[in-house]
Amino acid sequence: MSKINVAILGAGNIARSMATALKGISNEVCMYAVASRSIEKAKAFAAEWGFEKAYGSYQDLAKDDNVDLIYIATPHSEHFKNAMLCIEQGKNCLIEKPICVNRVQAAELFAKARQKNVFVAEAMWTRYQPSKDIIRGLIDSGRIGQVHYMESDFSCPISGVDRLSNPELAGGALLDLGIYSLTAPAMYLGTEVSEVKSSMVMSDTGVDATTTVFLTYMHGAMARAKCSMTDAESNYVKIVGDNGYMVFGPIHVPTEIKIYDMNGELQETVPISFIANGYEYEVLECKAAMEAGKHEPDSMPHAETLRIMGWMDSIRNHAGFVYPFEKASDIKISDEVAWGIDGVFNDVNPWDRSNTRSFLEVYDIETGEREKLDTFEDVIEAPNWSHDGTFMTYNSNGKIYKFDLADKTSTMVYSGNLDKINNDHVLSTDDSEIAVSDESQLDGKSRIYRVPMNGGEPILVTKDAPSYLHGWSPDTEYFCYCAERGGEYDVYEIKKDGTGETRLTTAPCLNDGSEYDSEGEYIYFNSVRSGLMQAWRMKRDGSEQTQLTFDSNLNTWFPHISPDRTKIVMVSYHKGDLWPGDHVPNKNVEIRYMNADGTGLKTLMKIFGGQGTINVNSWSPDSKKFAFVSYEKM
């Protein structure tokens, strides 16, 4: 072939993207025809983009003997029907992702293509782009060392788009966005998965709003793949190795790769350019494959399409998510068929906090003894020990409580309209105020407030959200906290009057749990930059960022420095229980101890707890004891 006649079936937004690409490779293709269910729309599209013909029905396009390749650009729910129509007429097809709604449909489509001896490919454009070979080359060269962790996130607030919110059109985050998030680990970590966990949050319209999948690989690496059509914009892939990490995005059409060392220092930026807009590469590979007499492209073989469709079927099956036009049996694929594993798919569900008993306890560092202060027939979290040693504070059911250590009584602290206070709170050095993180505003995002310890109206500190408090400076003039700004979670400092927000960490990963030491010289925090969550320390201005823990099987959170600046306690989760950036409230955890310089690391106890166990600094004023919370299901 010299040029091939390319037609587009459908005249929506994605058809316009393909038309842009076709113009960029006009030496290889002829923009031959476009079809819509409206002849007026087809003619307008053809005139705008320079197509030779316009059809007012898909059937008429499929019957045109001069068409070499049809690109199908209709909603997900229509792909199978539209592709079958074209294949029956002997037409080669490039079908927009996902190729179909489920694996059963895809398998039937490929069987029909073999019967009709035609070429069929899924238009998963990321697999055809030049970025794939560049990224693969960087990994294979050992540039970032042995890869052991990866995360991919494609989230954007697009739930208002009808085709995405409508179950009749096969809407939802997974099929539209999640296919990219799952494809990334399949491309760069492989497909030999040993364990899968997933979580799916449904929207009011009956489709998935947010889906997160955790993959553990047989070679020991882990991956987290997330998609959401309700969360804030987040569009990246991060791959972590022993010697550094790379971040690239957007996830579906990478335009640059940033390579960092283990301290988060940028080492190199690799730009990625395109002939047009990135869609052209799938057309060019289809053309080359057709010229070579192939029936599928090398970059997206049918087996790989079926694999990813099977993964998505399995995820939906475990969540009970079936489209109205599907049979439940269509997605009842066994885990062994979908993932190559049997019996190790575990759904990740939010913790049911009902019927939970909490224990407020104290641990004596010198004797190793535990003392139970009180039992609560509810969930309490994050004990703070007052600087005068007379009381503790904790949060429960969205409010702050004061626990008197003399008479063992609890009193709720009045906090005005704040009724969604979480487990991020800390006392001022004179115990006159408590600063809290609260999610009561309409957007549901966490902000920092100051509240009088004897009760009173809250004072807003951080207007921007989300912001999660952890530290109050010894001079009571500053807060340090974790905040998400522009898609990155970093440690920030701000004046207590809400001015002068300053970013202290820049590693493109989750940096959290920050708190000052008693002299205000250092800030202790945790970071996932090295793969698993580890404890870190830095100077007050963000300099001299130093890793303190180097665990290979534990994710360590919230290094709490004692008032005498010699001891640290922290909570650790086992590697396989969650992804490194998560700290959930319903796990078996270890409370561990080490010296302030990172030596002497040891486990003090193993309990059923989680993020509320020791979320904030709970050292006694004399540095001899610390408070914590454990749980028991009743």
Side-chain angles (χ1 to χ4, degrees):
M1 299 181 188
S2 52
K3 284 188 176 185
I4 61 170
N5 288 335
V6 179
I8 298 179
L9 190 152
N13 288 333
I14 201 154
R16 304 175 74 85
S17 296
M18 177 55 77
T20 300
L22 295 178
K23 274 187 172 294
I25 53 172
S26 57
N27 61 321
E28 298 276 356
V29 301
C30 172
M31 300 174 71
Y32 179 69
V34 62
S36 173
R37 288 175 297 183
S38 161
I39 186 60
E40 290 77 18
K41 188 173 182 179
K43 286 181 177 179
F45 191 97
E48 179 182 359
W49 293 97
F51 285 87
E52 295 179 12
K53 290 189 175 184
Y55 289 106
S57 77
Y58 300 153
Q59 291 87 347
D60 289 344
L61 172 63
K63 292 177 181 178
D64 188 329
D65 292 336
N66 293 317
V67 174
D68 295 312
L69 178 68
I70 296 178
Y71 170 67
I72 295 175
T74 50
H76 305 158
S77 56
E78 306 304 302
H79 288 179
F80 177 75
K81 177 175 64 177
N82 297 154
M84 274 297 191
L85 170 68
C86 297
I87 292 170
E88 285 284 7
Q89 296 298 320
K91 295 298 185 292
N92 302 311
C93 293
L94 174 63
I95 307 161
E96 186 49 50
K97 62 83 204 163
I99 192 168
C100 294
V101 171
N102 54 53
R103 190 178 187 274
V104 169
Q105 286 186 345
E108 187 175 344
L109 206 63
F110 292 147
K112 178 60 68 173
R114 287 193 297 272
Q115 179 187 341
K116 292 291 185 177
N117 197 33
V118 299
F119 175 92
V120 171
E122 182 178 24
M124 184 60 187
W125 59 323
T126 311
R127 287 187 180 265
Y128 302 87
Q129 293 166 12
S131 58
K132 177 187 68 174
D133 292 334
I134 297 172
I135 294 164
R136 186 75 260 169
L138 287 169
I139 293 172
D140 292 344
S141 71
R143 180 66 186 277
I144 61 172
Q146 180 68 38
V147 172
H148 53 78
Y149 176 70
M150 177 177 179
E151 61 186 39
S152 52
D153 189 343
F154 197 172
S155 302
C156 47
I158 52 175
S159 57
V161 178
D162 181 62
R163 74 172 183 85
L164 293 172
S165 61
N166 190 342
E168 294 291 348
L169 297 179
L174 179 62
L175 262 61
D176 198 75
L177 307 175
I179 189 171
Y180 292 110
S181 301
L182 287 169
T183 292
M187 289 171 68
Y188 302 119
L189 287 184
T191 57
E192 294 184 349
V193 177
S194 61
E195 184 177 14
V196 184
K197 299 180 181 181
S198 73
S199 175
M200 184 174 283
V201 178
M202 305 303 290
S203 71
D204 293 340
T205 63
V207 299
D208 69 304
T210 300
T211 295
T212 305
V213 183
F214 309 90
L215 306 174
T216 301
Y217 282 83
M218 294 177 184
H219 48 72
M222 295 180 68
R224 166 187 174 262
K226 180 203 165 196
C227 60
S228 177
M229 63 180 192
T230 55
D231 283 3
E233 186 80 26
S234 183
N235 195 334
Y236 71 94
V237 175
K238 178 184 178 184
I239 303 176
V240 181
D242 295 326
N243 301 326
Y245 57 93
M246 68 174 78
V247 180
F248 56 88
I251 189 172
H252 52 308
V253 53
T255 56
E256 66 176 12
I257 307 162
K258 290 183 177 292
I259 303 171
Y260 298 84
D261 64 20
M262 293 308 291
N263 292 321
E265 296 294 330
L266 180 64
Q267 301 298 300
E268 183 183 0
T269 298
V270 181
I272 301 170
S273 59
F274 307 104
I275 299 171
N277 62 357
Y279 283 83
E280 62 272 16
Y281 298 101
E282 57 194 13
V283 176
L284 291 174
E285 184 162 339
C286 288
K287 178 176 181 289
M290 290 159 56
E291 290 173 344
K294 298 180 180 180
H295 293 90
E296 56 188 315
D298 293 337
S299 294
M300 194 67 220
H302 293 170
E304 196 61 19
T305 289
L306 291 173
R307 185 195 312 277
I308 300 301
M309 288 303 312
W311 283 11
M312 294 193 295
D313 283 358
S314 177
I315 293 163
R316 286 203 293 132
N317 180 45
H318 279 271
F321 175 24
V322 182
Y323 290 112
F325 52 82
E326 284 182 306
K327 299 175 183 176
S329 59
D330 288 344
I331 62 169
K332 279 194 176 296
I333 183 171
S334 74
D335 294 336
E336 188 171 9
V337 170
W339 305 93
I341 56 179
D342 186 20
V344 287
F345 190 113
N346 297 293
D347 299 318
V348 178
N349 297 310
W351 185 29
D352 178 9
R353 292 180 176 237
S354 63
N355 301 316
T356 298
R357 181 180 289 118
S358 303
F359 305 103
L360 177 59
E361 300 184 65
V362 170
Y363 185 90
D364 189 310
I365 288 291
E366 294 180 354
T367 66
E369 294 180 353
R370 292 167 59 172
E371 177 189 0
K372 188 178 297 180
L373 299 183
D374 205 353
T375 300
F376 302 82
E377 303 300 309
D378 205 346
V379 174
I380 74 163
E381 296 181 301
N384 289 130
W385 205 311
S386 67
H387 296 83
D388 66 8
T390 63
F391 67 92
M392 293 182 187
T393 63
Y394 62 84
N395 64 284
S396 183
N397 295 312
K399 289 292 187 179
I400 287 290
Y401 289 82
K402 180 179 180 180
F403 181 81
D404 190 287
L405 287 168
D407 59 18
K408 305 294 192 295
T409 59
S410 293
T411 306
M412 188 177 73
V413 178
Y414 174 74
S415 56
N417 61 357
L418 304 185
D419 59 5
K420 292 183 180 178
I421 295 172
N422 56 39
N423 50 35
D424 301 319
H425 45 81
V426 63
L427 286 159
S428 61
T429 51
D430 63 2
D431 296 326
S432 65
E433 286 187 298
I434 185 166
V436 302
S437 297
D438 175 84
E439 301 166 348
S440 296
Q441 292 201 26
L442 290 177
D443 60 6
K445 294 181 179 180
S446 178
R447 290 173 173 83
I448 299 171
Y449 298 82
R450 292 161 43 204
V451 178
M453 195 56 225
N454 59 359
E457 294 301 321
I459 300 171
L460 177 65
V461 177
T462 56
K463 295 180 181 178
D464 293 332
S467 301
Y468 303 96
L469 175 69
H470 277 268
W472 200 334
S473 64
D475 61 9
T476 72
E477 293 300 314
Y478 290 86
F479 295 115
C480 62
Y481 53 100
C482 170
E484 184 269 314
R485 305 289 185 261
E488 294 288 347
Y489 283 86
D490 278 293
V491 175
Y492 286 79
E493 186 177 61
I494 197 170
K495 293 181 180 179
K496 69 178 182 181
D497 65 1
T499 62
E501 182 174 81
T502 303
R503 185 180 182 183
L504 300 179
T505 62
T506 57
C509 63
L510 177 58
N511 301 280
D512 191 12
S514 57
E515 63 181 52
Y516 302 93
D517 68 16
S518 60
E519 297 296 325
E521 180 182 6
Y522 288 102
I523 291 175
Y524 289 79
F525 66 105
N526 47 268
S527 176
V528 77
R529 68 186 69 177
S530 59
L532 296 182
M533 187 62 74
Q534 306 286 356
W536 287 69
R537 183 181 72 182
M538 62 182 168
K539 284 286 193 177
R540 171 81 174 266
D541 62 2
S543 63
E544 299 182 22
Q545 296 186 21
T546 304
Q547 188 172 343
L548 299 177
T549 60
F550 299 85
D551 301 307
S552 60
N553 292 304
L554 293 171
N555 289 290
T556 295
W557 287 80
F558 311 132
H560 300 310
I561 183 70
S562 60
D564 65 6
R565 304 206 303 168
T566 65
K567 313 173 190 70
I568 296 173
V569 291
M570 50 207 167
V571 65
S572 295
Y573 297 83
H574 288 269
K575 175 182 176 180
D577 284 349
L578 73 180
W579 73 280
D582 203 359
H583 50 297
V584 296
N586 57 329
K587 292 292 181 182
N588 292 317
V589 298
E590 297 184 14
I591 296 182
R592 296 197 298 160
Y593 167 93
M594 68 180 176
N595 299 319
D597 61 2
T599 62
L601 181 62
K602 62 181 178 180
T603 296
L604 299 179
M605 68 188 91
K606 297 180 180 180
I607 61 172
F608 180 69
Q611 63 177 352
T613 288
I614 189 169
N615 194 60
V616 292
N617 196 310
S618 60
W619 280 100
S620 61
D622 61 7
S623 301
K624 293 181 178 180
K625 302 177 180 180
F626 63 87
F628 65 97
V629 177
S630 61
Y631 303 110
E632 177 183 81
K633 294 297 286 185
M634 293 184 287

